[in-house]
Amino acid sequence: MNEVEFNIRLYLTGIMKAWTDRIDSTEQLTPQRSIFNAMTELFDSLSDDDIELIRLRYMERLTLSEVASRCLLNERTVRNHTNPTIKQVKAIIKQATEQAQHARGID
């Protein structure tokens, strides 16, 4: 399981929120809270249909072809609806990782 899939699974199952709530006992913005907040903003901006495509792809681990078949779409449509979100998740993870490294003084 790659980092993107892992974070999507954590977010969609609610585990990310539970972990973040446990870690964040202060008002300080932790890398975990930063990821959770950005993921919430991203997923709140998606349509229910787009979330379903991502859920099928990353929670049920279906191939693009299987998702397309199940949703009566072609693969290109599935890719066009999921790839921008996946790119944003990668950027969220990268940014939070860089902020954490910077906070620890690692470059």
Side-chain angles (χ1 to χ4, degrees):
M1 179 180 321
N2 66 37
E3 191 173 39
V4 171
E5 181 179 353
F6 179 71
N7 278 279
I8 289 172
R9 287 170 154 260
L10 286 177
Y11 184 81
L12 291 179
T13 59
I15 293 171
M16 184 180 283
K17 180 176 181 354
W19 282 356
T20 302
D21 288 347
R22 280 195 198 130
I23 292 168
D24 291 350
S25 58
T26 68
E27 294 298 316
Q28 188 177 13
L29 185 64
T30 63
Q32 295 84 0
R33 178 61 67 185
S34 178
I35 290 173
F36 176 74
N37 289 348
M39 294 275 289
T40 298
E41 185 176 325
L42 172 61
F43 279 84
D44 284 352
S45 73
L46 298 176
S47 70
D48 290 342
D49 290 338
D50 286 347
I51 292 172
E52 179 64 8
L53 294 175
I54 291 168
R55 189 189 69 71
L56 291 171
R57 183 85 170 102
Y58 291 93
M59 297 294 291
E60 294 192 25
R61 296 180 129 175
L62 300 180
T63 65
L64 283 172
S65 177
E66 291 168 332
V67 173
S69 177
R70 186 177 287 188
C71 296
L72 304 174
L73 301 168
N74 65 48
E75 285 184 44
R76 183 180 210 163
T77 301
V78 173
R79 192 176 298 113
N80 288 343
H81 283 267
T82 58
N83 279 359
T85 301
I86 301 313
K87 286 179 183 177
Q88 288 180 291
V89 170
K90 287 178 183 179
I92 289 166
I93 294 166
K94 181 180 179 192
Q95 182 179 12
T97 301
E98 289 171 354
Q99 287 174 344
Q101 288 173 343
H102 180 70
R104 288 186 298 219
I106 300 171
D107 284 309

PDB file of all heavy atoms in Angstrom, residues 53-82:
ATOM      1  N   LEU A  53     -16.039   7.066  -6.619  1.00  0.00           N
ATOM      2  CA  LEU A  53     -14.994   6.544  -7.509  1.00  0.00           C
ATOM      3  C   LEU A  53     -13.693   6.332  -6.738  1.00  0.00           C
ATOM      4  O   LEU A  53     -13.031   5.296  -6.890  1.00  0.00           O
ATOM      5  CB  LEU A  53     -14.758   7.494  -8.682  1.00  0.00           C
ATOM      6  CG  LEU A  53     -15.908   7.663  -9.672  1.00  0.00           C
ATOM      7  CD1 LEU A  53     -15.563   8.738 -10.708  1.00  0.00           C
ATOM      8  CD2 LEU A  53     -16.263   6.349 -10.351  1.00  0.00           C
ATOM      9  N   ILE A  54     -13.351   7.278  -5.900  1.00  0.00           N
ATOM     10  CA  ILE A  54     -12.127   7.154  -5.101  1.00  0.00           C
ATOM     11  C   ILE A  54     -12.265   6.031  -4.080  1.00  0.00           C
ATOM     12  O   ILE A  54     -11.333   5.254  -3.858  1.00  0.00           O
ATOM     13  CB  ILE A  54     -11.785   8.500  -4.437  1.00  0.00           C
ATOM     14  CG1 ILE A  54     -11.358   9.474  -5.533  1.00  0.00           C
ATOM     15  CG2 ILE A  54     -10.715   8.349  -3.364  1.00  0.00           C
ATOM     16  CD1 ILE A  54     -11.268  10.896  -5.107  1.00  0.00           C
ATOM     17  N   ARG A  55     -13.433   5.926  -3.483  1.00  0.00           N
ATOM     18  CA  ARG A  55     -13.667   4.854  -2.518  1.00  0.00           C
ATOM     19  C   ARG A  55     -13.516   3.486  -3.183  1.00  0.00           C
ATOM     20  O   ARG A  55     -12.847   2.598  -2.648  1.00  0.00           O
ATOM     21  CB  ARG A  55     -15.062   4.988  -1.898  1.00  0.00           C
ATOM     22  CG  ARG A  55     -15.306   4.039  -0.721  1.00  0.00           C
ATOM     23  CD  ARG A  55     -16.760   4.055  -0.291  1.00  0.00           C
ATOM     24  NE  ARG A  55     -17.636   3.442  -1.283  1.00  0.00           N
ATOM     25  CZ  ARG A  55     -17.683   2.120  -1.543  1.00  0.00           C
ATOM     26  NH1 ARG A  55     -16.911   1.286  -0.905  1.00  0.00           N
ATOM     27  NH2 ARG A  55     -18.510   1.652  -2.458  1.00  0.00           N
ATOM     28  N   LEU A  56     -14.107   3.314  -4.343  1.00  0.00           N
ATOM     29  CA  LEU A  56     -13.997   2.042  -5.051  1.00  0.00           C
ATOM     30  C   LEU A  56     -12.545   1.730  -5.415  1.00  0.00           C
ATOM     31  O   LEU A  56     -12.084   0.603  -5.275  1.00  0.00           O
ATOM     32  CB  LEU A  56     -14.859   2.060  -6.324  1.00  0.00           C
ATOM     33  CG  LEU A  56     -16.359   2.061  -6.111  1.00  0.00           C
ATOM     34  CD1 LEU A  56     -17.078   2.316  -7.437  1.00  0.00           C
ATOM     35  CD2 LEU A  56     -16.828   0.757  -5.483  1.00  0.00           C
ATOM     36  N   ARG A  57     -11.842   2.746  -5.860  1.00  0.00           N
ATOM     37  CA  ARG A  57     -10.449   2.559  -6.305  1.00  0.00           C
ATOM     38  C   ARG A  57      -9.502   2.295  -5.143  1.00  0.00           C
ATOM     39  O   ARG A  57      -8.650   1.420  -5.225  1.00  0.00           O
ATOM     40  CB  ARG A  57     -10.024   3.809  -7.086  1.00  0.00           C
ATOM     41  CG  ARG A  57      -8.664   3.747  -7.669  1.00  0.00           C
ATOM     42  CD  ARG A  57      -8.680   3.046  -9.009  1.00  0.00           C
ATOM     43  NE  ARG A  57      -7.399   3.201  -9.657  1.00  0.00           N
ATOM     44  CZ  ARG A  57      -6.477   2.250  -9.686  1.00  0.00           C
ATOM     45  NH1 ARG A  57      -6.701   1.093  -9.121  1.00  0.00           N
ATOM     46  NH2 ARG A  57      -5.329   2.456 -10.291  1.00  0.00           N
ATOM     47  N   TYR A  58      -9.647   3.041  -4.059  1.00  0.00           N
ATOM     48  CA  TYR A  58      -8.655   2.979  -2.981  1.00  0.00           C
ATOM     49  C   TYR A  58      -9.106   2.216  -1.739  1.00  0.00           C
ATOM     50  O   TYR A  58      -8.266   1.740  -0.988  1.00  0.00           O
ATOM     51  CB  TYR A  58      -8.181   4.390  -2.615  1.00  0.00           C
ATOM     52  CG  TYR A  58      -7.369   4.968  -3.741  1.00  0.00           C
ATOM     53  CD1 TYR A  58      -7.956   5.746  -4.723  1.00  0.00           C
ATOM     54  CD2 TYR A  58      -6.023   4.676  -3.859  1.00  0.00           C
ATOM     55  CE1 TYR A  58      -7.223   6.235  -5.781  1.00  0.00           C
ATOM     56  CE2 TYR A  58      -5.273   5.164  -4.914  1.00  0.00           C
ATOM     57  CZ  TYR A  58      -5.881   5.935  -5.876  1.00  0.00           C
ATOM     58  OH  TYR A  58      -5.148   6.412  -6.934  1.00  0.00           O
ATOM     59  N   MET A  59     -10.382   2.110  -1.503  1.00  0.00           N
ATOM     60  CA  MET A  59     -10.856   1.327  -0.356  1.00  0.00           C
ATOM     61  C   MET A  59     -11.120  -0.116  -0.770  1.00  0.00           C
ATOM     62  O   MET A  59     -10.743  -1.038  -0.070  1.00  0.00           O
ATOM     63  CB  MET A  59     -12.134   1.938   0.234  1.00  0.00           C
ATOM     64  CG  MET A  59     -11.966   3.333   0.788  1.00  0.00           C
ATOM     65  SD  MET A  59     -10.902   3.393   2.230  1.00  0.00           S
ATOM     66  CE  MET A  59     -11.927   2.541   3.408  1.00  0.00           C
ATOM     67  N   GLU A  60     -11.781  -0.282  -1.895  1.00  0.00           N
ATOM     68  CA  GLU A  60     -12.078  -1.631  -2.372  1.00  0.00           C
ATOM     69  C   GLU A  60     -10.974  -2.171  -3.274  1.00  0.00           C
ATOM     70  O   GLU A  60     -11.017  -3.339  -3.671  1.00  0.00           O
ATOM     71  CB  GLU A  60     -13.435  -1.660  -3.080  1.00  0.00           C
ATOM     72  CG  GLU A  60     -14.576  -1.377  -2.118  1.00  0.00           C
ATOM     73  CD  GLU A  60     -15.924  -1.672  -2.721  1.00  0.00           C
ATOM     74  OE1 GLU A  60     -16.013  -2.501  -3.643  1.00  0.00           O
ATOM     75  OE2 GLU A  60     -16.904  -1.060  -2.254  1.00  0.00           O
ATOM     76  N   ARG A  61     -10.018  -1.308  -3.594  1.00  0.00           N
ATOM     77  CA  ARG A  61      -8.847  -1.666  -4.394  1.00  0.00           C
ATOM     78  C   ARG A  61      -9.207  -2.248  -5.761  1.00  0.00           C
ATOM     79  O   ARG A  61      -8.601  -3.206  -6.219  1.00  0.00           O
ATOM     80  CB  ARG A  61      -7.949  -2.615  -3.620  1.00  0.00           C
ATOM     81  CG  ARG A  61      -7.371  -1.998  -2.388  1.00  0.00           C
ATOM     82  CD  ARG A  61      -6.508  -2.939  -1.655  1.00  0.00           C
ATOM     83  NE  ARG A  61      -5.219  -2.284  -1.401  1.00  0.00           N
ATOM     84  CZ  ARG A  61      -4.288  -2.823  -0.697  1.00  0.00           C
ATOM     85  NH1 ARG A  61      -4.423  -4.016  -0.195  1.00  0.00           N
ATOM     86  NH2 ARG A  61      -3.163  -2.179  -0.493  1.00  0.00           N
ATOM     87  N   LEU A  62     -10.203  -1.652  -6.400  1.00  0.00           N
ATOM     88  CA  LEU A  62     -10.581  -2.074  -7.738  1.00  0.00           C
ATOM     89  C   LEU A  62      -9.658  -1.400  -8.759  1.00  0.00           C
ATOM     90  O   LEU A  62      -9.162  -0.306  -8.531  1.00  0.00           O
ATOM     91  CB  LEU A  62     -12.031  -1.687  -8.033  1.00  0.00           C
ATOM     92  CG  LEU A  62     -13.116  -2.273  -7.128  1.00  0.00           C
ATOM     93  CD1 LEU A  62     -14.482  -1.785  -7.565  1.00  0.00           C
ATOM     94  CD2 LEU A  62     -13.065  -3.791  -7.124  1.00  0.00           C
ATOM     95  N   THR A  63      -9.453  -2.058  -9.869  1.00  0.00           N
ATOM     96  CA  THR A  63      -8.688  -1.457 -10.954  1.00  0.00           C
ATOM     97  C   THR A  63      -9.541  -0.376 -11.613  1.00  0.00           C
ATOM     98  O   THR A  63     -10.757  -0.312 -11.397  1.00  0.00           O
ATOM     99  CB  THR A  63      -8.313  -2.512 -12.016  1.00  0.00           C
ATOM    100  OG1 THR A  63      -9.526  -2.980 -12.624  1.00  0.00           O
ATOM    101  CG2 THR A  63      -7.534  -3.661 -11.410  1.00  0.00           C
ATOM    102  N   LEU A  64      -8.895   0.458 -12.424  1.00  0.00           N
ATOM    103  CA  LEU A  64      -9.654   1.471 -13.169  1.00  0.00           C
ATOM    104  C   LEU A  64     -10.732   0.814 -14.012  1.00  0.00           C
ATOM    105  O   LEU A  64     -11.863   1.296 -14.086  1.00  0.00           O
ATOM    106  CB  LEU A  64      -8.719   2.285 -14.067  1.00  0.00           C
ATOM    107  CG  LEU A  64      -7.879   3.346 -13.386  1.00  0.00           C
ATOM    108  CD1 LEU A  64      -6.861   3.926 -14.364  1.00  0.00           C
ATOM    109  CD2 LEU A  64      -8.747   4.442 -12.819  1.00  0.00           C
ATOM    110  N   SER A  65     -10.388  -0.285 -14.638  1.00  0.00           N
ATOM    111  CA  SER A  65     -11.337  -1.010 -15.479  1.00  0.00           C
ATOM    112  C   SER A  65     -12.525  -1.509 -14.659  1.00  0.00           C
ATOM    113  O   SER A  65     -13.677  -1.410 -15.088  1.00  0.00           O
ATOM    114  CB  SER A  65     -10.628  -2.180 -16.160  1.00  0.00           C
ATOM    115  OG  SER A  65     -11.525  -2.935 -16.913  1.00  0.00           O
ATOM    116  N   GLU A  66     -12.258  -2.042 -13.479  1.00  0.00           N
ATOM    117  CA  GLU A  66     -13.337  -2.551 -12.621  1.00  0.00           C
ATOM    118  C   GLU A  66     -14.234  -1.421 -12.123  1.00  0.00           C
ATOM    119  O   GLU A  66     -15.457  -1.570 -12.074  1.00  0.00           O
ATOM    120  CB  GLU A  66     -12.742  -3.322 -11.437  1.00  0.00           C
ATOM    121  CG  GLU A  66     -12.090  -4.629 -11.843  1.00  0.00           C
ATOM    122  CD  GLU A  66     -11.266  -5.251 -10.731  1.00  0.00           C
ATOM    123  OE1 GLU A  66     -10.740  -4.512  -9.855  1.00  0.00           O
ATOM    124  OE2 GLU A  66     -11.125  -6.493 -10.744  1.00  0.00           O
ATOM    125  N   VAL A  67     -13.629  -0.300 -11.751  1.00  0.00           N
ATOM    126  CA  VAL A  67     -14.416   0.861 -11.316  1.00  0.00           C
ATOM    127  C   VAL A  67     -15.289   1.351 -12.469  1.00  0.00           C
ATOM    128  O   VAL A  67     -16.490   1.596 -12.291  1.00  0.00           O
ATOM    129  CB  VAL A  67     -13.511   2.005 -10.804  1.00  0.00           C
ATOM    130  CG1 VAL A  67     -14.330   3.258 -10.519  1.00  0.00           C
ATOM    131  CG2 VAL A  67     -12.747   1.571  -9.558  1.00  0.00           C
ATOM    132  N   ALA A  68     -14.693   1.469 -13.641  1.00  0.00           N
ATOM    133  CA  ALA A  68     -15.438   1.929 -14.813  1.00  0.00           C
ATOM    134  C   ALA A  68     -16.605   1.009 -15.114  1.00  0.00           C
ATOM    135  O   ALA A  68     -17.727   1.468 -15.364  1.00  0.00           O
ATOM    136  CB  ALA A  68     -14.499   2.018 -16.017  1.00  0.00           C
ATOM    137  N   SER A  69     -16.362  -0.279 -15.057  1.00  0.00           N
ATOM    138  CA  SER A  69     -17.410  -1.252 -15.335  1.00  0.00           C
ATOM    139  C   SER A  69     -18.536  -1.159 -14.310  1.00  0.00           C
ATOM    140  O   SER A  69     -19.711  -1.156 -14.665  1.00  0.00           O
ATOM    141  CB  SER A  69     -16.808  -2.657 -15.344  1.00  0.00           C
ATOM    142  OG  SER A  69     -17.802  -3.619 -15.530  1.00  0.00           O
ATOM    143  N   ARG A  70     -18.181  -1.072 -13.058  1.00  0.00           N
ATOM    144  CA  ARG A  70     -19.190  -1.010 -11.998  1.00  0.00           C
ATOM    145  C   ARG A  70     -20.030   0.258 -12.085  1.00  0.00           C
ATOM    146  O   ARG A  70     -21.219   0.246 -11.781  1.00  0.00           O
ATOM    147  CB  ARG A  70     -18.519  -1.098 -10.626  1.00  0.00           C
ATOM    148  CG  ARG A  70     -19.549  -1.190  -9.510  1.00  0.00           C
ATOM    149  CD  ARG A  70     -18.957  -1.338  -8.158  1.00  0.00           C
ATOM    150  NE  ARG A  70     -18.416  -2.672  -7.953  1.00  0.00           N
ATOM    151  CZ  ARG A  70     -17.983  -3.095  -6.781  1.00  0.00           C
ATOM    152  NH1 ARG A  70     -18.036  -2.306  -5.729  1.00  0.00           N
ATOM    153  NH2 ARG A  70     -17.487  -4.305  -6.660  1.00  0.00           N
ATOM    154  N   CYS A  71     -19.410   1.355 -12.496  1.00  0.00           N
ATOM    155  CA  CYS A  71     -20.111   2.641 -12.539  1.00  0.00           C
ATOM    156  C   CYS A  71     -20.649   2.981 -13.928  1.00  0.00           C
ATOM    157  O   CYS A  71     -21.170   4.087 -14.136  1.00  0.00           O
ATOM    158  CB  CYS A  71     -19.175   3.745 -12.067  1.00  0.00           C
ATOM    159  SG  CYS A  71     -18.675   3.553 -10.352  1.00  0.00           S
ATOM    160  N   LEU A  72     -20.499   2.071 -14.847  1.00  0.00           N
ATOM    161  CA  LEU A  72     -20.962   2.265 -16.229  1.00  0.00           C
ATOM    162  C   LEU A  72     -20.326   3.503 -16.865  1.00  0.00           C
ATOM    163  O   LEU A  72     -20.989   4.315 -17.512  1.00  0.00           O
ATOM    164  CB  LEU A  72     -22.483   2.337 -16.291  1.00  0.00           C
ATOM    165  CG  LEU A  72     -23.229   1.144 -15.688  1.00  0.00           C
ATOM    166  CD1 LEU A  72     -24.722   1.396 -15.688  1.00  0.00           C
ATOM    167  CD2 LEU A  72     -22.883  -0.147 -16.422  1.00  0.00           C
ATOM    168  N   LEU A  73     -19.011   3.635 -16.661  1.00  0.00           N
ATOM    169  CA  LEU A  73     -18.229   4.729 -17.229  1.00  0.00           C
ATOM    170  C   LEU A  73     -17.074   4.123 -18.017  1.00  0.00           C
ATOM    171  O   LEU A  73     -16.781   2.937 -17.875  1.00  0.00           O
ATOM    172  CB  LEU A  73     -17.655   5.617 -16.120  1.00  0.00           C
ATOM    173  CG  LEU A  73     -18.648   6.285 -15.175  1.00  0.00           C
ATOM    174  CD1 LEU A  73     -17.934   6.875 -13.984  1.00  0.00           C
ATOM    175  CD2 LEU A  73     -19.423   7.359 -15.929  1.00  0.00           C
ATOM    176  N   ASN A  74     -16.397   4.947 -18.801  1.00  0.00           N
ATOM    177  CA  ASN A  74     -15.178   4.426 -19.398  1.00  0.00           C
ATOM    178  C   ASN A  74     -13.990   4.761 -18.496  1.00  0.00           C
ATOM    179  O   ASN A  74     -14.092   5.621 -17.626  1.00  0.00           O
ATOM    180  CB  ASN A  74     -14.991   4.903 -20.855  1.00  0.00           C
ATOM    181  CG  ASN A  74     -14.782   6.389 -20.967  1.00  0.00           C
ATOM    182  OD1 ASN A  74     -13.975   6.972 -20.263  1.00  0.00           O
ATOM    183  ND2 ASN A  74     -15.516   7.014 -21.871  1.00  0.00           N
ATOM    184  N   GLU A  75     -12.882   4.070 -18.705  1.00  0.00           N
ATOM    185  CA  GLU A  75     -11.712   4.248 -17.844  1.00  0.00           C
ATOM    186  C   GLU A  75     -11.200   5.682 -17.853  1.00  0.00           C
ATOM    187  O   GLU A  75     -10.774   6.200 -16.818  1.00  0.00           O
ATOM    188  CB  GLU A  75     -10.589   3.300 -18.260  1.00  0.00           C
ATOM    189  CG  GLU A  75     -10.829   1.873 -17.849  1.00  0.00           C
ATOM    190  CD  GLU A  75      -9.654   0.974 -18.188  1.00  0.00           C
ATOM    191  OE1 GLU A  75      -8.499   1.378 -17.946  1.00  0.00           O
ATOM    192  OE2 GLU A  75      -9.907  -0.140 -18.683  1.00  0.00           O
ATOM    193  N   ARG A  76     -11.254   6.304 -19.010  1.00  0.00           N
ATOM    194  CA  ARG A  76     -10.762   7.679 -19.117  1.00  0.00           C
ATOM    195  C   ARG A  76     -11.563   8.618 -18.212  1.00  0.00           C
ATOM    196  O   ARG A  76     -11.008   9.508 -17.565  1.00  0.00           O
ATOM    197  CB  ARG A  76     -10.840   8.137 -20.563  1.00  0.00           C
ATOM    198  CG  ARG A  76     -10.295   9.510 -20.766  1.00  0.00           C
ATOM    199  CD  ARG A  76     -10.406   9.915 -22.204  1.00  0.00           C
ATOM    200  NE  ARG A  76      -9.320  10.820 -22.489  1.00  0.00           N
ATOM    201  CZ  ARG A  76      -8.917  11.109 -23.683  1.00  0.00           C
ATOM    202  NH1 ARG A  76      -9.478  10.551 -24.728  1.00  0.00           N
ATOM    203  NH2 ARG A  76      -7.945  11.963 -23.866  1.00  0.00           N
ATOM    204  N   THR A  77     -12.861   8.415 -18.155  1.00  0.00           N
ATOM    205  CA  THR A  77     -13.710   9.242 -17.290  1.00  0.00           C
ATOM    206  C   THR A  77     -13.348   9.035 -15.831  1.00  0.00           C
ATOM    207  O   THR A  77     -13.223   9.997 -15.063  1.00  0.00           O
ATOM    208  CB  THR A  77     -15.199   8.916 -17.535  1.00  0.00           C
ATOM    209  OG1 THR A  77     -15.510   9.163 -18.906  1.00  0.00           O
ATOM    210  CG2 THR A  77     -16.103   9.740 -16.634  1.00  0.00           C
ATOM    211  N   VAL A  78     -13.165   7.784 -15.438  1.00  0.00           N
ATOM    212  CA  VAL A  78     -12.763   7.488 -14.054  1.00  0.00           C
ATOM    213  C   VAL A  78     -11.437   8.167 -13.755  1.00  0.00           C
ATOM    214  O   VAL A  78     -11.277   8.830 -12.722  1.00  0.00           O
ATOM    215  CB  VAL A  78     -12.678   5.961 -13.807  1.00  0.00           C
ATOM    216  CG1 VAL A  78     -12.103   5.674 -12.428  1.00  0.00           C
ATOM    217  CG2 VAL A  78     -14.039   5.315 -13.982  1.00  0.00           C
ATOM    218  N   ARG A  79     -10.487   8.021 -14.645  1.00  0.00           N
ATOM    219  CA  ARG A  79      -9.159   8.625 -14.457  1.00  0.00           C
ATOM    220  C   ARG A  79      -9.275  10.150 -14.358  1.00  0.00           C
ATOM    221  O   ARG A  79      -8.656  10.771 -13.491  1.00  0.00           O
ATOM    222  CB  ARG A  79      -8.254   8.223 -15.622  1.00  0.00           C
ATOM    223  CG  ARG A  79      -6.793   8.544 -15.385  1.00  0.00           C
ATOM    224  CD  ARG A  79      -5.882   8.061 -16.507  1.00  0.00           C
ATOM    225  NE  ARG A  79      -5.921   6.613 -16.650  1.00  0.00           N
ATOM    226  CZ  ARG A  79      -6.425   5.961 -17.705  1.00  0.00           C
ATOM    227  NH1 ARG A  79      -6.935   6.615 -18.723  1.00  0.00           N
ATOM    228  NH2 ARG A  79      -6.408   4.648 -17.749  1.00  0.00           N
ATOM    229  N   ASN A  80     -10.087  10.749 -15.236  1.00  0.00           N
ATOM    230  CA  ASN A  80     -10.240  12.208 -15.221  1.00  0.00           C
ATOM    231  C   ASN A  80     -10.898  12.721 -13.941  1.00  0.00           C
ATOM    232  O   ASN A  80     -10.681  13.863 -13.547  1.00  0.00           O
ATOM    233  CB  ASN A  80     -11.051  12.672 -16.430  1.00  0.00           C
ATOM    234  CG  ASN A  80     -10.280  12.579 -17.728  1.00  0.00           C
ATOM    235  OD1 ASN A  80      -9.057  12.478 -17.729  1.00  0.00           O
ATOM    236  ND2 ASN A  80     -10.997  12.587 -18.836  1.00  0.00           N
ATOM    237  N   HIS A  81     -11.693  11.885 -13.308  1.00  0.00           N
ATOM    238  CA  HIS A  81     -12.366  12.293 -12.069  1.00  0.00           C
ATOM    239  C   HIS A  81     -11.549  11.980 -10.824  1.00  0.00           C
ATOM    240  O   HIS A  81     -11.781  12.585  -9.781  1.00  0.00           O
ATOM    241  CB  HIS A  81     -13.746  11.631 -11.964  1.00  0.00           C
ATOM    242  CG  HIS A  81     -14.771  12.280 -12.824  1.00  0.00           C
ATOM    243  ND1 HIS A  81     -15.607  13.269 -12.373  1.00  0.00           N
ATOM    244  CD2 HIS A  81     -15.085  12.103 -14.133  1.00  0.00           C
ATOM    245  CE1 HIS A  81     -16.389  13.671 -13.355  1.00  0.00           C
ATOM    246  NE2 HIS A  81     -16.095  12.970 -14.437  1.00  0.00           N
ATOM    247  N   THR A  82     -10.617  11.055 -10.914  1.00  0.00           N
ATOM    248  CA  THR A  82      -9.846  10.679  -9.724  1.00  0.00           C
ATOM    249  C   THR A  82      -8.429  11.250  -9.707  1.00  0.00           C
ATOM    250  O   THR A  82      -7.931  11.606  -8.639  1.00  0.00           O
ATOM    251  CB  THR A  82      -9.771   9.142  -9.570  1.00  0.00           C
ATOM    252  OG1 THR A  82      -9.174   8.569 -10.735  1.00  0.00           O
ATOM    253  CG2 THR A  82     -11.147   8.554  -9.321  1.00  0.00           C
TER     254      THR A  82
END
